Amino acid sequence: MGLTGYISELKLTTKEFRERDNIKLDIVVRTDEIYIIKTGIETNFVKTFILAASLVQDFSKSMIIAAITGK
């Protein structure tokens, strides 16, 4: 299952968890609605997403974002 749309914004936010500040990456995706994918900055998803996004040359085209479970 995936989300197809246009990435309109990437932003870092801080959320307190267990009396600690945790940095989150918010990936704002425009489809028929606005979706925000919020994930921890140190997750494998973020690491692979940033690596894949660094290869994109034209963010004006739609893309599919999908996450699968690891082993």
Side-chain angles (χ1 to χ4, degrees), residues 8-69:
S8 62
E9 186 177 359
L10 298 174
K11 59 184 174 180
L12 295 175
T13 58
T14 303
K15 185 169 185 157
E16 188 174 322
F17 179 72
R18 294 187 182 173
E19 299 179 12
R20 266 183 67 209
D21 285 341
N22 287 334
I23 300 173
K24 303 287 184 182
L25 176 66
D26 292 355
I27 305 167
V28 181
V29 182
R30 285 184 299 118
T31 64
D32 54 333
E33 297 182 36
I34 300 290
Y35 292 92
I36 300 174
I37 302 169
K38 184 181 289 281
T39 183
I41 195 70
E42 295 181 16
T43 62
N44 284 333
F45 175 77
V46 167
K47 291 173 186 175
T48 55
F49 174 81
I50 290 173
L51 179 62
S54 71
L55 301 175
V56 175
Q57 294 182 9
D58 187 1
F59 280 95
S60 68
K61 296 180 181 176
S62 67
M63 62 176 53
I64 300 170
I65 300 171
I68 56 172
T69 58

